[in-house]
Amino acid sequence: MSPTSLRHRYGNNEAAKVIVVVTDVLALILGLWILMYLLDANRANDLVRVVHGAARWLASWSHDLFTFDDAWARVVAGYGLAAAVYLVAGHLIAGRLRRLNK
């Protein structure tokens, strides 16, 4: 989301903008790990290890929540659920803050 669209959507409410940016970054990290997993990224690579560690911590509450037989389905469902929850919750909270400050 560009700074202009953030300004349009959340007005001058700085807290709402920060919440949106932070939750978008959290979801991006989770999405990046899903992509790295599906593309079989080299787990010995430092960047892959950092992203995996951050994603695992962010999705610790949803890790192994689903018991699909295929590992890729567990990764997509578990980490994808966490990403969706962060996005929805962050944008709902930011929208609520914007409405409260009008």
Side-chain angles (χ1 to χ4, degrees):
M1 199 173 270
S2 72
T4 305
S5 63
L6 279 174
R7 190 175 320 115
H8 174 69
R9 186 166 185 185
Y10 297 107
N12 288 327
N13 190 326
E14 295 299 319
K17 291 178 196 175
V18 169
I19 289 170
V20 167
V21 169
V22 168
T23 56
D24 286 352
V25 169
L26 297 180
L28 177 69
I29 291 168
L30 291 162
L32 185 58
W33 169 244
I34 292 170
L35 183 63
M36 287 178 168
Y37 183 86
L38 293 175
L39 295 176
D40 200 24
N42 178 6
R43 303 260 177 110
N45 181 283
D46 289 337
L47 176 63
V48 174
R49 286 193 295 180
V50 167
V51 171
H52 183 219
R56 187 165 178 83
W57 184 80
L58 290 170
S60 60
W61 59 270
S62 67
H63 186 71
D64 289 336
L65 184 64
F66 300 100
T67 57
F68 296 112
D69 290 335
D70 295 324
W72 69 267
R74 286 191 304 272
V75 168
V76 171
Y79 291 94
L81 173 65
V85 167
Y86 286 125
L87 279 175
V88 169
H91 284 261
L92 285 175
I93 291 168
R96 181 74 174 161
L97 284 173
R98 182 184 58 88
R99 283 189 295 280
L100 288 174
N101 290 328
K102 276 191 173 183

